[in-house]
Amino acid sequence: MTHTPPTTDASPEPGRSRPRASLALWLQAAAALMWLPQAAALALGVGRIAEGGGATAMLAPAAALIGFGALRAGLDAAGQRLAFRDARAELSRLRFNATRALAARSPLDAGRAPSGLAASVLAEQAEAVTAYVARFQPARFKATAVPLVILACVAPLSWLAALILMAAAPLIPLFMALVGWRAKAASERQFVAMGEMNGFLLDRLRGLDAIRSAGAVEATAQRVRAEADGLRRRAMAVLRIAFLSSAVLELFSALGVALVAVYVGFNLLGQIPFGAWGGRLSLPEGLFVLLLAPAFFEPLRELSAAWHDRASGQAALEALERLAAPGRMALPGAVDEPAFAPPFGPAPVVRLKGLRFAHDGAERPALDGFSLVVAPGERVAVLGPSGTGKSTLLALIAGLAPAAGGRILIGGAEMTPDTAAALRARMVWIGQTPHVFSGSLSRNVRLGRPDIGRVQAERALRATALGPLLDRRGDAAVGENGLGLSGGETLRLALARLAVAPGATLVLADEPTAHLDRETARQIMDALIALSAGRTLIVATHDPELAARMDRIVRFDDARLEDAA
Amino acid sequence: MSGDLNALRPVVRALAREGGLRLHAGMGLAVVTALAGLGLLALSGWFITATALAGLTAAAALAFDVFVPGAGVRGFALLRTAARYGERVTTHDATLKALAAFRERLFRGWARPQAARTLLARPARLLFRLTSDVDALDALYLRGIIPLVACAATAAVAAILLSFLDFRLGLAAGGALLVGGLGVAVLAARAARRPTRRRAYAGEALRARVVDMVRGQTELVMAGRLAPQTDAVMAADARQAQADDALNRIEVRAGAALTLLTGALLAGVLAAAAHLAEGGTIGAPIAAMALLAVFAAVEPFGALRRGALEIGRAALAAKRLAPRLSDTDSSAEDAPVAPSPEPGVALRLAEAAARHAGDRGFALAPVTLTLRAGERVAIVGPSGAGKSTLMALMAGEIAPAAGSVTAAPAAWLSQRTTLFRDSLRDNLRLAAPDADDARLRDALSGAGLGAFAGRLDAPLGEGGMGLSGGQSRRLALARLLLSDAPLWLLDEPTDGLDGPTARDVLRRLVAKTRGRTLVVATHLRREADVCDRVIVLEGGRVVADLARGAPDFRSALDRLRPD
């Protein structure tokens, strides 16, 4: 199957050593340095014009301008592409790790990220990683390497010009620190403020019915405006500082350039006859020095622009790594391929021996030495008030969390992390609020199982009295939250998932009638009983009517004592 | 491309309406910034060359005025820095202002009854799309219009400057800048259009699949489909990576094209200037000035190229948001519920039917029904029978697909319980902005939430005080109790309450209802018990309408769920 990380990078920690990435850095720095020969060509060209050279004398400089321009374009493109590909692969790798880690955490793990958080980190926040990895590191490398090379080119012509640039250079890290710190704070705060504003608007849009029925549309619209204006004011306060600090950076680089220009001008006029090794600069030399001065500061400006990427990129990296951390409780066999289950195997016997389980941080164990035997084809109700651990029991039988002690045997096979996936292939789970996936009704029944076709799915839908709904909805999507489906319809959908899996011989139903009216609850009971014919059925419930229709009732408190007795 | 431009038009109009002067000031400052940059380089080039030539003879060196050009260089440097700062502040402020107005406008647009219903029926994915669309609109002005204006201005000024040397040179250089620079941007925008869309959709798919994976984890793992679901998440990522790669390729190519254009322009101007100098038209200082002016004029096109890649996303956002941003509101859509019915009648349905969007048949077959003012009516029937749909129709939240609805102003407690991220007080005051704390506390105890009367300042909603499902519903009920609407529509108001509390809540509710019309959709006997009329729904049609005392009234009640 395709469960391999999508990166071809084989190093165990690709974040550390990436040869492609360092090649990308060198390529981009080399591209920036192509300005040196271009500037030299321009300076020589103007020098020749001053000497009276005509268009023909321009052939070599013009060719150099074009040639080195092409070289620069090629090097830069190659460097940027390499850096991007590497960064994008890194994003995929991080997403893969986080997705896998999320899938591998037990649904009973209380520390598991809620779906909203997981989605916003994986889908939106994660995107900042690419820009950070692809842009910030090359910018930082260029900011250290390129100014040094330029300095090395200026110094042989004029030590004073080099000195001026060097004198401006120590100021730069100072301002960079200032800019960086401000920009980081700015982008972080703006990110938070933006998120809050969007959260506020979403919150109000989701609650539009409440707002409308309370007649509060006008008041809320004004609050939306007030909040958005507040966001603008807060954002502008921090942006102003960020812009001001980069203006200071720009001012210093402009002053550095102006100083160099003035010095070169006076030197050329002979009014400052020192500073160059031979006493006076020539016109091409002076022009060359002048053209290099802005290029000296350019990488620093680029770096300050990339600082925004850094703050959000690092925040995204941290969020992704938090998601990818292993949970406190694993879901046994989470992503194993289920072994092939015999299509019509006999209903299994279920033996539970001395089961123990405690929720994370709970004072009392939810199960402490629980034992039970359910005969093949038997229908058993586990009856007890809510919050006593009935659902936990079913989850353990389904292998959704590892038991802290005791054994679970299903049809003679022991539930272990290795067998969990294969054993689950013979089970069907009916939860109290089944999840409705985004997609059509029939997709919701098939869940992408290759052995279940559309016709089978639709037959199952009709068998569970969802025919009229299917006729109305057709292939229209049922929403992400199952909007548009009533509680009863959602449960029928879960029953259709049962109807479509004839190979599943153990049915686990967790409070299937908890949120239904009596009429619907009865219909669901009838369907559940009809569909579980020939299968072993364990129902956790606090509904006495449902329990009474099973072959046997295990009172949960009695069962706890069973082992002691 | 032209489709994109058409989609952007209403947004540009809305932007102009909201941003006003600031937008123009921002564009002006952007032009000043670009021109100051051009002036700085051009003047420096001239200055250095001129000093070099003057320095050849001592007399010329002495006569050379260094102060005016020197001051000019410093002046341009300062002007450029100041103008850029001003441009950034002004344009960002104007954009944020316009976005603030857009958000309000969007909210109002969606708050119209029919629109509100459509919005709620949408999956969370589309709701989420709304806010990311608003965010995407900022690119239009900041990274689209602003650099476009700056580019046009610098290209024009560079062309005029060179025309003083030779008009053919001016035309050629200006033309090359505009055709080359704009061409690159236009081509990039056009090429980026499809990958931008694919990228947006892949991002949405990724989001939806992660939600399905986390929330549907149990169902997936039981069906042996958890691993394929993680693959599906990564498939969405792979599709997005493909689009990202295509976009990056376009961006890099556009950048390379601009670098090539710069080299070619410089080479061309160098050759032309040498030719003119040879002919004696210009001197070396002017040649240097021309070269550096052209060099500076290319710079703003770099920003335009980056903006071109984001315009596609902004156009997509604009296309989706435009209907709600426009000024024109159809009053028909505004009021599916016609103004109040005649006195003494609270609600009248005449052959009114309802249909869910996308459905083929009616969710509720045509109903004719009159509710007298002051009546208390229960709507009963199995789940899925259409109770909530009938309520929505009565509340005016959905327009009848056929027939007509006339109703007094209604307050509706729907099955969805909405708590806002706000204090408990503000959550309650939504229904009665002027209510004092005493009234709020009274409403809380009326809904069986007396325990919260002392915690009006507690924050609610995500990250706030945790309320159980039952408590949230009671809070929504308390909110309804504060409403002064003459018609109250309640969907299972005491669901999830234990018997004694529920009875207490119902007793207080009836007391507060005096003089109002009450409609309760329910499957609980105790709730129907307080009503004097029962309407029975089945399969989307009314099968019985019974007044208290009618022979079947009691048996209809008996079919409901006891406590």
Side-chain angles (χ1 to χ4, degrees):
Chain A
M1 277 299 286
T2 49
H3 315 317
T4 45
T7 49
T8 48
D9 217 327
S11 62
E13 216 177 339
R16 295 285 165 268
S17 76
R18 299 197 304 265
R20 279 199 306 180
S22 66
L23 177 59
L25 299 184
W26 286 104
L27 284 172
Q28 290 187 60
L33 290 176
M34 284 304 116
W35 175 240
L36 289 170
Q38 280 191 305
L42 269 178
L44 279 174
V46 174
R48 285 187 186 175
I49 292 176
E51 287 161 9
T56 43
M58 296 303 128
L59 265 181
L65 276 172
I66 293 176
F68 283 108
L71 200 55
R72 177 185 189 157
L75 286 172
D76 204 31
Q80 282 189 44
R81 292 288 290 144
L82 265 182
F84 168 80
R85 286 214 196 108
D86 181 67
R88 190 61 186 74
E90 175 76 358
L91 171 60
S92 287
R93 192 186 67 84
L94 289 166
R95 274 184 173 154
F96 178 82
N97 289 346
T99 305
R100 273 301 161 116
L102 271 174
R105 286 179 89 154
S106 166
L108 301 192
D109 185 342
R112 197 163 152 267
S115 62
L117 175 72
S120 77
V121 169
L122 272 168
E124 287 96 40
Q125 205 186 355
E127 290 185 350
V129 168
T130 318
Y132 167 50
V133 178
R135 281 195 217 136
F136 181 73
Q137 283 160 359
R140 194 171 54 182
F141 182 70
K142 273 203 270 184
T144 39
V146 172
L148 282 178
V149 177
I150 289 180
L151 219 51
C153 291
V154 171
L157 296 171
S158 163
W159 55 265
L160 189 56
L163 207 64
I164 291 171
L165 292 179
M166 238 164 43
L171 288 175
I172 300 296
L174 187 72
F175 282 99
M176 285 313 299
L178 183 73
V179 170
W181 174 61
R182 290 294 193 186
K184 186 172 149 84
S187 77
E188 271 171 6
R189 272 196 265 174
Q190 210 192 345
F191 190 74
V192 171
M194 205 71 167
E196 276 171 7
M197 176 67 233
N198 280 339
F200 179 85
L201 188 58
L202 276 181
D203 193 42
R204 283 350 188 230
L205 284 173
R206 279 201 192 108
L208 257 181
D209 50 353
I211 290 172
R212 288 182 38 72
S213 72
V217 170
E218 180 57 36
T220 310
Q222 280 169 12
R223 261 199 78 184
V224 168
R225 181 57 174 263
E227 288 280 325
D229 273 332
L231 164 74
R232 176 180 64 88
R233 270 194 301 279
R234 283 195 305 272
M236 282 316 294
V238 283
L239 281 178
R240 244 182 222 115
I241 296 169
F243 294 156
L244 193 62
S245 6
S246 58
V248 169
L249 174 73
E250 242 176 75
L251 187 64
F252 267 76
S253 69
L255 286 181
V257 175
L259 263 177
V260 169
V262 168
Y263 157 70
V264 171
F266 277 96
N267 179 283
L268 288 171
L269 278 174
Q271 293 177 356
I272 305 181
F274 55 88
W277 304 104
R280 290 267 290 265
L281 290 165
S282 67
L283 168 60
E285 284 170 350
L287 207 50
F288 182 62
V289 169
L290 175 72
L291 286 173
L292 289 192
F296 178 84
F297 294 103
E298 180 56 31
L300 297 165
R301 275 172 47 185
E302 244 178 75
L303 181 62
S304 92
W307 220 286
H308 273 276
D309 299 336
R310 180 169 177 263
S312 45
Q314 281 181 340
L317 281 178
E318 281 160 24
L320 280 167
E321 269 157 24
R322 266 198 302 277
L323 278 189
R328 275 168 295 196
M329 194 182 290
L331 170 54
V335 290
D336 293 351
E337 286 294 306
F340 179 70
F344 291 102
V349 55
V350 177
R351 286 177 207 278
L352 311 177
K353 294 182 185 168
L355 273 190
R356 278 209 320 279
F357 184 85
H359 286 285
D360 211 24
E363 280 175 26
R364 263 160 34 90
L367 293 170
D368 194 4
F370 181 89
S371 297
L372 179 69
V373 178
V374 179
E378 193 183 11
R379 294 177 185 136
V380 170
V382 180
L383 184 67
S386 44
T388 46
K390 303 187 303 290
S391 302
T392 309
L393 173 67
L394 285 198
L396 291 182
I397 299 174
L400 296 179
R407 300 174 71 191
I408 300 167
L409 292 142
I410 292 160
E414 176 146 17
M415 171 69 70
T416 66
D418 293 334
T419 59
L423 287 175
R424 275 196 294 257
R426 302 182 55 184
M427 301 180 198
V428 166
W429 176 273
I430 295 165
Q432 44 179 311
T433 48
H435 179 66
V436 179
F437 293 84
S438 47
S440 67
L441 280 171
S442 109
R443 248 204 75 198
N444 258 290
V445 174
R446 292 159 72 187
L447 295 179
R449 283 172 284 194
D451 53 331
I452 298 169
R454 187 196 172 90
V455 178
Q456 274 168 286
E458 294 194 349
R459 202 182 301 140
L461 283 166
R462 291 187 195 285
T464 48
L466 285 173
L469 186 71
L470 179 65
D471 291 336
R472 262 194 293 137
R473 289 272 151 143
D475 279 335
V478 282
E480 231 178 37
N481 297 325
L483 276 168
L485 292 195
S486 69
E489 287 163 346
T490 312
L491 263 157
R492 287 204 175 95
L493 194 60
L495 287 174
R497 287 175 191 154
L498 163 63
V500 88
T505 45
L506 172 58
V507 181
L508 304 169
D510 183 17
E511 302 266 17
T513 59
H515 299 290
L516 304 176
D517 61 272
R518 202 156 92 176
E519 185 81 22
T520 312
R522 277 189 193 137
Q523 291 168 358
I524 294 290
M525 284 177 213
D526 292 343
L528 179 62
I529 285 161
L531 283 169
S532 59
R535 319 192 206 209
T536 308
L537 170 65
I538 305 177
V539 177
T541 187
H542 66 259
D543 181 352
E545 193 177 333
L546 174 60
R549 297 186 62 178
M550 298 294 121
D551 300 336
R552 177 156 65 110
I553 295 177
V554 178
R555 292 200 183 271
F556 205 66
D557 290 327
D558 304 347
R560 274 180 197 235
L561 301 171
E562 210 169 273
D563 198 48
Chain B
M1 203 51 204
S2 66
D4 278 1
L5 292 181
N6 280 335
L8 286 171
R9 199 165 296 149
V11 177
V12 171
R13 233 180 280 132
L15 197 65
R17 198 168 46 226
E18 304 298 345
L21 260 183
R22 271 159 208 271
L23 293 175
H24 297 286
M27 287 186 242
L29 285 166
V31 170
V32 172
T33 307
L35 293 185
L38 190 144
L40 176 65
L41 272 184
L43 187 60
S44 314
W46 176 86
F47 176 64
I48 297 288
T49 316
T51 51
L53 293 182
L56 293 178
T57 61
L62 276 178
F64 191 85
D65 177 12
V66 289
F67 293 103
V68 171
V73 168
R74 281 194 304 276
F76 276 130
L78 290 176
L79 180 64
R80 179 165 182 244
T81 308
R84 166 150 299 164
Y85 173 73
E87 175 215 321
R88 284 174 159 181
V89 169
T90 316
T91 54
H92 281 81
D93 194 40
T95 306
L96 288 173
K97 226 183 188 124
L99 291 190
F102 283 3
R103 288 196 165 94
E104 185 197 345
R105 203 175 274 274
L106 268 178
F107 177 80
R108 285 181 191 277
W110 281 113
R112 291 173 196 153
Q114 193 63 36
R117 187 77 189 170
T118 318
L119 188 72
L120 289 177
R122 281 177 160 202
R125 175 168 61 99
L126 296 182
L127 203 59
F128 182 82
R129 182 190 268 181
L130 259 181
T131 52
S132 62
D133 274 353
V134 179
D135 290 345
L137 283 183
D138 71 345
L140 176 62
Y141 177 68
L142 284 179
R143 290 180 286 283
I145 295 174
I146 284 288
L148 192 65
V149 170
C151 286
T154 42
V157 168
I160 292 168
L161 208 60
L162 295 186
S163 297
F164 283 118
L165 282 56
D166 185 290
F167 80 93
R168 282 167 303 179
L169 179 60
L171 273 184
L177 271 174
L178 279 179
V179 172
L182 283 185
V184 165
V186 168
L187 285 178
R190 183 180 291 175
R193 198 167 164 234
R194 285 189 52 186
T196 302
R197 272 158 206 248
R198 279 212 307 271
R199 171 170 208 296
Y201 292 132
E204 284 173 5
L206 182 71
R207 186 184 175 80
R209 287 171 191 183
V210 169
V211 169
D212 272 349
M213 182 187 83
V214 176
R215 234 185 269 163
Q217 190 192 26
T218 302
E219 278 87 352
L220 287 167
V221 80
M222 293 308 295
R225 300 298 296 171
L226 192 51
Q229 183 71 21
T230 66
D231 291 343
V233 170
M234 290 318 293
D237 172 72
R239 264 202 297 149
Q240 196 189 42
Q242 239 174 22
D244 278 342
D245 192 63
L247 287 172
N248 179 258
R249 198 182 311 125
I250 295 163
E251 186 184 351
V252 166
R253 279 185 187 166
L258 281 183
T259 307
L260 289 174
L261 179 73
T262 312
L265 258 174
L266 286 176
V269 174
L270 185 65
H275 178 72
L276 290 173
E278 204 178 21
T281 321
I282 61 167
I286 299 293
M289 187 195 76
L291 273 171
L292 287 181
V294 166
F295 179 63
V298 187
E299 203 202 289
F301 285 93
L304 183 64
R305 158 192 69 117
R306 281 188 292 277
L309 286 160
E310 293 186 38
I311 285 301
R313 177 69 186 90
L316 183 64
K319 199 171 277 178
R320 298 197 288 224
L321 293 180
R324 303 282 155 217
L325 282 178
S326 64
D327 257 347
T328 53
D329 47 355
S330 61
S331 48
E333 191 195 31
D334 248 6
V337 179
S340 306
E342 62 269 32
V345 173
L347 181 133
R348 190 188 292 283
L349 303 182
E351 289 295 310
R355 192 200 313 267
H356 292 308
D359 277 5
R360 289 177 219 155
F362 282 133
L364 185 72
V367 183
T368 300
L369 201 64
T370 304
L371 264 53
R372 290 183 311 281
E375 255 191 310
R376 291 202 291 269
V377 181
I379 298 174
V380 304
S383 96
K387 297 195 293 286
S388 299
T389 310
L390 179 58
M391 296 288 269
L393 202 59
M394 290 175 165
E397 288 300 316
I398 53 176
S404 70
V405 178
T406 46
W412 185 25
L413 175 76
S414 70
Q415 276 202 328
R416 285 163 35 92
T417 304
T418 314
L419 296 186
F420 297 105
R421 273 189 268 174
D422 231 331
S423 66
L424 176 56
R425 178 183 290 107
D426 284 332
N427 262 290
L428 287 171
R429 275 211 287 219
L430 196 68
D434 309 325
D436 56 11
D437 285 2
R439 232 185 114 196
L440 300 183
R441 289 198 193 97
D442 180 50
L444 279 174
S445 49
L449 277 179
F452 288 91
R455 301 173 64 184
L456 285 174
D457 288 315
L460 293 187
E462 219 172 297
M465 177 166 66
L467 290 185
S468 74
Q471 286 170 334
S472 310
R473 274 194 71 67
R474 273 178 279 164
L475 190 64
L477 179 62
R479 191 151 59 194
L480 181 122
L481 293 179
L482 286 165
S483 157
D484 52 10
L487 171 60
W488 282 359
L489 305 167
L490 294 92
D491 212 337
E492 305 189 351
T494 64
D495 189 38
L497 295 190
D498 62 87
T501 317
R503 255 173 261 284
D504 182 51
V505 165
L506 283 169
R507 192 177 49 74
R508 289 165 185 257
L509 178 70
V510 170
K512 285 201 186 276
T513 315
R514 289 205 197 297
R516 292 193 170 92
T517 313
L518 181 69
V519 180
V520 185
T522 185
H523 64 258
L524 293 171
R525 162 137 202 183
R526 64 187 181 221
E527 291 180 355
D529 256 343
V530 304
C531 299
D532 30 46
R533 183 173 165 193
V534 173
I535 293 168
V536 186
L537 285 181
E538 227 163 77
R541 48 187 80 242
V542 175
V543 293
D545 184 351
L546 311 161
R548 189 178 284 278
D552 292 338
F553 185 84
R554 195 122 297 277
S555 66
L557 252 52
D558 286 342
R559 281 203 299 274
L560 297 174
R561 190 179 208 168
D563 292 345

